Protein backbone atom coordinates (compact mmCIF):
# COMPACT_ATOMS: atom_id res chain seq x y z
CA UNK A 1 0.00 0.00 0.00
CA UNK A 2 2.85 2.35 0.85
CA UNK A 3 4.41 1.57 -2.51
CA UNK A 4 1.19 2.51 -4.38
CA UNK A 5 0.84 5.75 -2.40
CA UNK A 6 4.44 6.63 -3.19
CA UNK A 7 3.89 6.15 -6.93
CA UNK A 8 0.67 8.18 -6.91
CA UNK A 9 2.42 11.06 -5.16
CA UNK A 10 5.37 10.83 -7.60
CA UNK A 11 3.06 10.93 -10.64
CA UNK A 12 1.10 13.85 -9.18
CA UNK A 13 4.32 15.79 -8.55
CA UNK A 14 5.55 15.05 -12.07
CA UNK A 15 2.29 16.27 -13.58
CA UNK A 16 2.36 19.43 -11.50
CA UNK A 17 5.85 20.11 -12.78
CA UNK A 18 4.56 19.99 -16.36
CA UNK A 19 2.12 22.83 -15.84
CA UNK A 20 3.39 26.00 -17.40
CA UNK A 21 2.20 29.55 -17.35
CA UNK A 22 -0.32 30.55 -20.01
CA UNK A 23 1.20 31.68 -23.28
CA UNK A 24 0.38 35.19 -24.42
CA UNK A 25 -1.56 35.25 -27.66
CA UNK A 26 0.08 36.77 -30.70
CA UNK A 27 -1.68 40.06 -31.42
CA UNK A 28 0.14 41.07 -34.60
CA UNK A 29 -0.53 39.81 -38.12
CA UNK A 30 1.91 37.25 -39.43
CA UNK A 31 3.76 38.56 -42.46
CA UNK A 32 5.56 36.17 -44.75
CA UNK A 33 7.23 36.77 -48.11
CA UNK A 34 4.69 34.42 -49.71
CA UNK A 35 1.82 36.41 -48.26
CA UNK A 36 3.35 39.66 -49.46
CA UNK A 37 3.98 38.15 -52.91
CA UNK A 38 0.30 37.26 -53.26
CA UNK A 39 -0.63 40.92 -52.67
CA UNK A 40 1.47 42.10 -55.63
CA UNK A 41 -0.30 43.00 -58.88
CA UNK A 42 -0.41 40.00 -61.27
CA UNK A 43 1.93 41.69 -63.78
CA UNK A 44 4.55 42.20 -61.04
CA UNK A 45 4.17 38.58 -59.90
CA UNK A 46 4.70 37.39 -63.47
CA UNK A 47 7.85 39.51 -63.83
CA UNK A 48 9.30 38.17 -60.57
CA UNK A 49 8.67 34.61 -61.74
CA UNK A 50 10.19 35.36 -65.14
CA UNK A 51 13.31 36.99 -63.70
CA UNK A 52 13.96 34.82 -60.63
CA UNK A 53 11.97 31.64 -61.12
CA UNK A 54 11.55 29.86 -57.80
CA UNK A 55 14.25 31.79 -55.94
CA UNK A 56 13.42 32.18 -52.27
CA UNK A 57 12.18 35.69 -51.48
CA UNK A 58 13.47 37.37 -48.35
CA UNK A 59 11.50 40.61 -48.42
CA UNK A 60 9.19 42.71 -50.59
CA UNK A 61 9.00 46.44 -50.06
CA UNK A 62 6.99 49.13 -51.79
CA UNK A 63 8.23 52.59 -52.58
CA UNK A 64 7.59 55.46 -54.92
CA UNK A 65 9.68 57.02 -57.68
CA UNK A 66 8.52 59.99 -59.76
CA UNK A 67 4.96 59.48 -58.49
CA UNK A 68 4.79 55.83 -59.54
CA UNK A 69 4.72 52.78 -57.30
CA UNK A 70 7.92 50.70 -57.31
CA UNK A 71 8.41 47.26 -55.78
CA UNK A 72 11.77 46.02 -54.47
CA UNK A 73 12.11 42.26 -54.12
CA UNK A 74 15.14 40.94 -52.23
CA UNK A 75 16.13 37.30 -52.23
CA UNK A 76 17.68 34.94 -49.65
CA UNK A 77 20.76 34.47 -51.86
CA UNK A 78 21.74 38.01 -52.97
CA UNK A 79 24.97 36.83 -54.64
CA UNK A 80 22.98 34.92 -57.23
CA UNK A 81 19.81 37.01 -57.20
CA UNK A 82 20.43 40.73 -56.61
CA UNK A 83 17.48 42.94 -55.61
CA UNK A 84 14.81 43.19 -58.28
CA UNK A 85 13.07 46.52 -58.89
CA UNK A 86 9.71 46.51 -60.66
CA UNK A 87 7.13 49.05 -61.78
CA UNK A 88 3.45 48.32 -61.14
CA UNK A 89 2.96 47.36 -64.81
CA UNK A 90 5.60 44.61 -64.45
CA UNK A 91 8.50 46.49 -66.06
CA UNK A 92 11.88 45.51 -64.64
CA UNK A 93 13.84 48.56 -63.48
CA UNK A 94 17.54 49.18 -62.91
CA UNK A 95 18.64 50.31 -59.42
CA UNK A 96 18.55 53.91 -60.70
CA UNK A 97 14.88 53.35 -61.72
CA UNK A 98 15.37 53.24 -65.49
CA UNK A 99 13.37 50.65 -67.46
CA UNK A 100 15.60 47.65 -68.16
CA UNK A 101 12.91 45.32 -69.54
CA UNK A 102 9.55 46.73 -70.55
CA UNK A 103 6.32 45.13 -69.42
CA UNK A 104 4.54 42.74 -71.74
CA UNK A 105 1.06 43.54 -72.92
CA UNK A 106 -0.40 40.23 -71.68
CA UNK A 107 -4.11 39.98 -71.22
CA UNK A 108 -6.09 37.65 -69.02
CA UNK A 109 -5.23 34.76 -71.32
CA UNK A 110 -1.74 34.65 -69.86
CA UNK A 111 -3.09 33.62 -66.48
CA UNK A 112 -5.94 31.35 -67.54
CA UNK A 113 -4.51 29.53 -70.53
CA UNK A 114 -6.03 31.11 -73.60
CA UNK A 115 -8.73 33.43 -74.73
CA UNK A 116 -9.53 36.78 -76.20
CA UNK A 117 -9.98 39.78 -74.01
CA UNK A 118 -9.84 43.50 -74.35
CA UNK A 119 -9.16 43.95 -70.64
CA UNK A 120 -5.54 43.63 -69.62
CA UNK A 121 -4.61 41.53 -66.63
CA UNK A 122 -3.39 44.70 -64.92
CA UNK A 123 -6.88 46.17 -65.30
CA UNK A 124 -8.44 43.48 -63.09
CA UNK A 125 -8.29 43.68 -59.32
CA UNK A 126 -6.19 40.84 -57.81
CA UNK A 127 -9.25 39.35 -56.10
CA UNK A 128 -11.03 38.99 -59.46
CA UNK A 129 -8.03 37.24 -61.03
CA UNK A 130 -7.78 34.85 -58.07
CA UNK A 131 -11.49 34.05 -58.28
CA UNK A 132 -11.20 33.23 -62.00
CA UNK A 133 -8.15 31.03 -61.37
CA UNK A 134 -9.81 29.19 -58.46
CA UNK A 135 -13.30 28.87 -59.97
CA UNK A 136 -12.31 27.73 -63.44
CA UNK A 137 -8.59 26.79 -63.33
CA UNK A 138 -8.53 24.95 -66.68
CA UNK A 139 -11.23 26.87 -68.56
CA UNK A 140 -10.41 29.15 -71.47
CA UNK A 141 -11.62 32.73 -71.02
CA UNK A 142 -13.30 34.15 -74.10
CA UNK A 143 -14.40 37.59 -72.90
CA UNK A 144 -14.34 39.80 -69.86
CA UNK A 145 -16.69 42.75 -69.59
CA UNK A 146 -16.58 45.43 -66.93
CA UNK A 147 -20.07 46.33 -65.71
CA UNK A 148 -21.08 49.12 -63.35
CA UNK A 149 -24.27 49.57 -61.38
CA UNK A 150 -24.15 52.79 -59.41
CA UNK A 151 -21.04 52.62 -57.23
CA UNK A 152 -20.70 48.82 -57.71
CA UNK A 153 -18.29 47.33 -60.26
CA UNK A 154 -18.66 43.80 -61.64
CA UNK A 155 -16.74 41.69 -64.15
CA UNK A 156 -18.65 39.32 -66.41
CA UNK A 157 -16.38 36.47 -67.49
CA UNK A 158 -17.40 34.05 -70.23
CA UNK A 159 -15.62 30.84 -71.14
CA UNK A 160 -15.14 28.88 -74.36
CA UNK A 161 -17.33 25.97 -73.25
CA UNK A 162 -20.36 27.48 -71.48
CA UNK A 163 -22.01 24.08 -71.00
CA UNK A 164 -19.29 22.91 -68.60
CA UNK A 165 -18.02 26.36 -67.58
CA UNK A 166 -20.92 28.79 -67.16
CA UNK A 167 -20.14 32.49 -67.08
CA UNK A 168 -19.12 34.17 -63.85
CA UNK A 169 -20.24 37.52 -62.52
CA UNK A 170 -17.60 38.70 -60.07
CA UNK A 171 -17.63 41.77 -57.82
CA UNK A 172 -14.51 43.93 -57.87
CA UNK A 173 -13.52 42.47 -54.47
CA UNK A 174 -13.44 38.94 -55.92
CA UNK A 175 -16.77 37.63 -54.60
CA UNK A 176 -18.89 35.69 -57.08
CA UNK A 177 -22.45 36.97 -57.57
CA UNK A 178 -24.93 34.09 -57.65
Amino acid sequence: MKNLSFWLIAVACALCGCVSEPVDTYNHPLISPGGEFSKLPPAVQNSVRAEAGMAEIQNISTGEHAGAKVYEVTFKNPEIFPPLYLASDGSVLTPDMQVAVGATQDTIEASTGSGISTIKLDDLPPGVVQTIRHSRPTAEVTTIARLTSGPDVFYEVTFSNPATNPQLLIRDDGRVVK
Side-chain angles (χ1 to χ4, degrees):
M1 183 73 173
K2 284 184 173 182
N3 212 5
L4 180 62
S5 298
F6 172 75
W7 284 111
L8 287 175
I9 292 171
V11 169
C13 289
L15 289 176
C16 289
C18 293
V19 175
S20 63
E21 294 193 24
V23 177
D24 290 335
T25 58
Y26 191 76
N27 296 322
H28 303 287
L30 295 175
I31 299 173
S32 69
E36 293 300 308
F37 182 79
S38 69
K39 294 178 188 175
L40 293 174
V44 175
Q45 291 180 14
N46 290 340
S47 293
V48 171
R49 286 187 198 107
E51 294 295 319
M54 297 301 293
E56 193 172 356
I57 296 172
Q58 180 174 337
N59 186 38
I60 298 173
S61 59
T62 306
E64 208 172 289
H65 178 73
K69 198 175 245 188
V70 175
Y71 301 91
E72 179 184 7
V73 181
T74 55
F75 300 95
K76 293 270 184 179
N77 193 344
E79 294 82 30
I80 297 174
F81 298 101
L84 185 59
Y85 301 95
L86 301 141
S88 60
D89 68 352
S91 296
V92 178
L93 306 173
T94 62
D96 62 349
M97 301 301 142
Q98 301 300 315
V99 175
V101 179
T104 61
Q105 297 302 316
D106 289 340
T107 59
I108 188 69
E109 62 201 11
S111 68
T112 59
S114 180
I116 301 169
S117 176
T118 56
I119 297 178
K120 294 180 184 177
L121 189 58
D122 291 341
D123 295 338
L124 293 175
V128 174
V129 174
Q130 287 180 341
T131 300
I132 294 169
R133 287 179 178 165
H134 289 18
S135 299
R136 309 283 194 279
T138 59
E140 294 182 21
V141 173
T142 54
T143 60
I144 299 175
R146 184 176 192 269
L147 309 171
T148 57
S149 176
D152 298 323
V153 177
F154 303 92
Y155 294 91
E156 183 181 58
V157 184
T158 57
F159 301 93
S160 63
N161 189 351
T164 56
N165 295 303
Q167 80 177 24
L168 289 173
L169 184 60
I170 306 169
R171 291 183 171 277
D172 62 346
D173 64 0
R175 292 183 291 152
V176 176
V177 178
K178 301 275 180 191

